[in-house]
Amino acid sequence: MTALEPRDADVTPPTDDADVVPEGQGVLGRVHRALSVGIVSVVVLIAFEATAVGTAMPVAARELHGIELYAFAFSSYFTTSLFAMVLSGQWADRDGPLRPLAAGIAAFGAGLLLAGSASAMWLFIVGRAVQGLGGGLVIVALYVVVSRAYPERLRPAIMAAFAASWVVPSVVGPLASGTVTEHLGWRWVFIGIPVLVVFPLALALPAIRRMASGPADPSAPRQAFDVRRIRLALGISLGAGLLQYAGQELRWLSVIPAAAGVAFLVPAVLGLLPRGTCRAARGLPSVVLLRGIAAGSFIAAESFIPLMLVTQRGLSPTMAGLSLAVGGATWALGSYVQSRPRLEPYRQPLVVAGMVLVAAAIATAPSVLIASVPVWVVGVAWGVGCFGMGLVLASTSVLLLKLSAPEEAGANSAALQISDGLSNVLLLAAGGAAFAALGGGAVGATHVASGTAGSHPGAFAAVFLPMAGVALVGAWVATRLRVRGTEVSVSK
């Protein structure tokens, strides 16, 4: 899930030499063509994995006898990515984005292979955790690449390309994944994706080495890794994992890991996110907080849609995945709409409207638990929600880069992605706990295997409706982005 946006609207912005884009030097011009195609290919890989794996997940959980751990299969990815984001931010600021990006792609592929060959649910979850390490390294490194290699005027266009790169995987991914799952087995969905790693590595890494390698200021002394921030990153990952475990167990003894998780998590969050994030202070803190609320509520809800359609409405995995396919196109459309210069004065209302659309989509999705409601309602609702996400996440990504000095791009990008990933973990933990408490673990192997409908509507409603409320809170946070007219504060 990605983003975009240009500078100012009706007023011609002041320009300097760094922002002048000569003819032929756009994102696909001679200077940036190889880099643009390479890094967009990396995003395509991540997008294809997200859409394809989500479709295969219900069958994988059933065959590994792990339906009750379904939420862990998603949250383990985000838990480990939290640590990797902080590491990647420091690594990129210190040595440039090339090494963390290469290491991240390698770990991402290794995690897919481990998950695809898993013989038990806990091994599958470990594979997803390794994927998370790779994903966390990659996403922050990509932001640093954009900050280093592209002038400010080109950043909206490359962010738009990131968003557009979800369109084809969103359509092809569920169809291909569902077909492979039904005819060859779910394992081939995971084992087959690493083949796609070769092209991004071959194209992106040489271009990054040429245009964005090394520290931001080569003349400055080489920075040491901030051991305190790395410890905090370990704390945030460990705390999130303990809270997820406590939420799944639902026993009195679960209070112990829950308390330990909070003890690890609170100081880590306060130390890693911009001051004022938790109280939605205006400017950068609200940008970071909004990113987490939007991504967390949306992903927590979306993770349960294929399982709901397979078990409650009897859809095949292919059809359940295709119900979300339109979202890639509408997400890219939302990103494109908010990038138009003439809409710049209305950026804040657009972001507020985007969060309202997300809340409405999440609240509408469980209506298909009523037998008389056609299943295509989910597809329409999710298309609307993805349009809203395109408006919101695009804006947070570009604002983050606009508010960051070159030497701070890695750390600030890490903060944005930590908010994103941590919110995913916590809201998936909350949703998974509610799902399990209301009988979700008994959704049943036979329902997922055969596609026959189950009868656990309350378990799914307990996931979707609270997430819609969280998204509405995000609409309020979006009103905090404005500082002094249309300006956004750069203070942390």
Side-chain angles (χ1 to χ4, degrees):
M1 317 207 158
T2 37
L4 89 149
E5 165 216 270
R7 286 209 221 212
D8 289 329
D10 298 327
V11 178
T12 302
T15 60
D16 53 41
D17 293 339
D19 284 340
V20 174
V21 183
E23 185 178 355
Q25 294 190 15
V27 294
L28 291 178
R30 176 180 53 83
V31 174
H32 295 94
R33 184 183 299 122
L35 178 62
S36 297
V37 174
I39 62 176
V40 168
S41 297
V42 173
V43 178
V44 170
L45 169 65
I46 294 173
F48 190 82
E49 182 274 342
T51 55
V53 167
T55 303
M57 198 74 78
V59 177
R62 194 273 310 173
E63 290 192 4
L64 295 174
H65 307 289
I67 288 288
E68 69 280 1
L69 300 176
Y70 185 78
F72 265 124
F74 291 95
S75 63
S76 61
Y77 179 100
F78 298 114
T79 299
T80 54
S81 69
L82 293 171
F83 169 73
M85 289 168 187
V86 176
L87 178 62
S88 183
Q90 290 198 37
W91 197 355
D93 284 342
R94 181 176 184 263
D95 297 324
L98 180 62
R99 292 178 181 176
L101 183 63
I105 293 176
F108 192 79
L112 283 166
L113 292 175
L114 182 57
S117 60
S119 58
M121 191 64 178
W122 71 268
L123 278 174
F124 182 83
I125 292 171
V126 169
R128 292 287 290 164
V130 175
Q131 275 186 259
L133 287 172
L137 290 171
V138 167
I139 191 63
V140 173
L142 283 177
Y143 273 68
V144 178
V145 169
V146 172
S147 175
R148 297 268 187 94
Y150 295 86
E152 187 174 342
R153 282 184 169 229
L154 288 184
R155 292 174 192 166
I158 193 63
M159 291 296 184
F162 283 0
S165 66
W166 281 78
V167 176
V168 173
S170 295
V171 176
V172 176
L175 179 61
S177 176
T179 301
V180 170
T181 299
E182 292 176 23
H183 293 92
L184 298 178
W186 64 268
R187 294 182 185 277
W188 287 101
V189 174
F190 291 83
I191 294 174
I193 291 177
V195 176
L196 302 176
V197 170
V198 177
F199 177 73
L201 280 175
L203 195 58
L205 298 187
I208 294 171
R209 182 180 293 111
R210 185 175 66 254
M211 301 182 67
S213 62
D217 184 1
S219 63
R222 194 163 182 252
Q223 298 178 3
F225 282 101
D226 188 336
V227 177
R228 174 181 170 275
R229 287 183 66 84
I230 291 178
R231 283 201 304 265
L232 291 175
L234 286 171
I236 205 171
S237 295
L238 182 58
L242 287 170
L243 284 176
Q244 173 72 17
Y245 173 79
Q248 288 293 127
E249 286 298 303
L250 298 178
R251 298 180 299 176
W252 284 110
L253 288 177
S254 299
V255 174
I256 297 175
V262 171
F264 280 113
L265 202 59
V266 171
V269 168
L270 294 177
L272 292 173
L273 298 185
R275 184 175 301 173
T277 298
C278 295
R279 55 183 174 83
R282 292 185 182 275
L284 183 63
S286 287
V287 172
V288 172
L289 178 60
L290 178 62
R291 177 59 165 261
I293 289 176
S297 59
F298 187 84
I299 294 298
E302 185 180 58
S303 299
F304 283 86
I305 286 180
L307 186 66
M308 177 177 67
L309 294 177
V310 169
T311 62
Q312 305 301 295
R313 294 302 298 264
L315 268 65
S316 68
T318 301
M319 294 306 298
L322 283 176
S323 68
L324 306 177
V326 71
T330 57
W331 191 303
L333 178 62
S335 297
Y336 173 81
V337 167
Q338 64 81 48
S339 74
R340 298 301 84 199
R342 69 180 61 186
L343 294 179
E344 179 63 27
Y346 311 103
R347 173 162 303 282
Q348 185 184 25
L350 281 175
V351 175
V352 174
M355 287 308 306
V356 171
L357 292 177
V358 171
I362 296 173
T364 301
S367 66
V368 298
L369 294 168
I370 303 171
S372 60
V373 175
V375 293
W376 55 258
V377 168
V378 169
V380 173
W382 223 243
V384 171
C386 285
F387 179 80
M389 288 292 286
L391 294 174
V392 174
L393 263 64
S395 295
T396 60
S397 295
V398 172
L399 285 173
L400 185 281
L401 293 179
K402 189 174 183 178
L403 300 177
S404 301
E407 66 275 10
E408 296 178 336
N412 288 349
S413 296
L416 189 76
Q417 297 302 327
I418 286 170
S419 177
D420 187 319
L422 179 60
S423 181
N424 286 332
V425 171
L426 295 182
L427 292 180
L428 273 168
F435 182 73
L438 293 179
V443 160
T446 57
H447 300 317
V448 178
S450 64
T452 56
S455 182
H456 298 82
F460 289 97
V463 174
F464 288 98
L465 298 183
M467 296 307 154
V470 172
L472 284 177
V473 173
W476 172 78
V477 174
T479 66
R480 307 280 294 170
L481 300 181
R482 186 188 301 273
V483 177
R484 298 190 307 274
T486 59
E487 298 292 325
V488 179
S489 171
V490 299
S491 61
K492 292 186 180 180

